[in-house]
Amino acid sequence: MIIKKLHEAGLRSDHAYTAAVVSIGLSFLSWTASVKGEAAGTDRADRWGIFVGEWAPTFFGLGLALAQYEKD
């Protein structure tokens, strides 16, 4: 039901896959920016990188579900 609504709203599997890859890149960038820009050290940078990096599997899963829906 959710996948159908997302598909009807114009979201396609390619969009979700692109968001996943961008999320991986943003994870690296947020880690780098946090290491260089904050005095809190690598612990905080690791948390930022992990927080953003957790989005990627969600987007990949959404892409797979949308791809399956698009086949039917």
Side-chain angles (χ1 to χ4, degrees), residues 10-55:
L11 187 66
R12 300 294 181 257
S13 60
D14 292 341
H15 300 140
Y17 293 141
T18 301
V21 172
V22 169
S23 171
I24 293 168
L26 285 175
S27 175
F28 178 74
L29 287 175
S30 67
W31 181 85
T32 304
S34 182
V35 164
K36 292 182 179 184
E38 296 181 328
T42 58
D43 289 342
R44 180 178 271 171
D46 289 347
R47 286 192 288 271
W48 272 112
I50 290 169
F51 172 70
V52 177
E54 287 177 347
W55 302 345

